[in-house]
Amino acid sequence: LSAYHCTTKKGLAADKPCDHSDGRRKAIFGRHTFNFGEDWNYYTIPIIKAINPPNPWINGSYESHDFSMLILQKPANISRTVSPICLPHPNEDFGGKMAVAAGWGRTTTSDVSKRQSPVLKSVWLKV
């Protein structure tokens, strides 16, 4: 699972998602710290497709429907540091409940800093 804005090129007509069928984009597993440019040294699996919500960015910002499900070339090997996440069943309602989001994304807007965190961050958010 990733952010929709990480799977699309901003500025394209209707912010169409990038083509992931070439397998050049990779999911990285089992890391707490991540040094950009050293992915050759990490456990990775190519991403072959991104499935996005039918109406991403309903209100024109990252605050609505900003998610994408990434399809991998093969299943990940489960280990002490790699485990599956739980996804809701269709029509399940989590509105108003708390959920955790995690990643190595930016902690400020791109006009402040283009650097991403090398340490896995997490935050509790209200759905």
Side-chain angles (χ1 to χ4, degrees):
L1 205 57
S2 186
Y4 173 76
H5 72 267
C6 291
T7 65
T8 186
K9 288 186 179 180
K10 196 105 167 95
L12 293 177
D15 288 320
K16 292 184 180 180
C18 299
D19 178 14
H20 288 76
S21 63
D22 60 10
R24 289 185 359 193
R25 291 159 193 86
K26 299 174 186 160
I28 297 170
F29 295 89
R31 301 295 307 179
H32 180 74
T33 57
F34 173 75
N35 295 311
F36 293 91
E38 292 184 18
D39 60 327
W40 56 269
N41 198 28
Y42 301 145
Y43 173 35
T44 64
I45 298 176
I47 298 165
I48 58 171
K49 185 176 182 181
I51 299 174
N52 301 307
N55 299 304
W57 292 351
I58 288 176
N59 65 3
S61 76
Y62 293 154
E63 296 175 9
S64 178
H65 296 75
D66 186 23
F67 63 92
S68 181
M69 185 166 42
L70 304 178
I71 306 302
L72 305 177
Q73 189 177 63
K74 62 182 183 179
N77 294 323
I78 305 302
S79 71
R80 184 179 58 78
T81 59
V82 177
S83 60
I85 62 169
C86 298
L87 295 176
H89 295 285
N91 301 317
E92 213 169 344
D93 185 9
F94 289 89
K97 294 186 179 177
M98 298 299 288
V100 68
W104 292 279
R106 290 187 193 117
T107 55
T108 60
T109 58
S110 60
D111 58 325
V112 175
S113 174
K114 297 206 181 296
R115 295 190 58 200
Q116 292 181 271
S117 173
V119 177
L120 184 64
K121 302 279 187 176
S122 65
V123 63
W124 283 93
L125 302 166
K126 191 173 192 176
V127 177

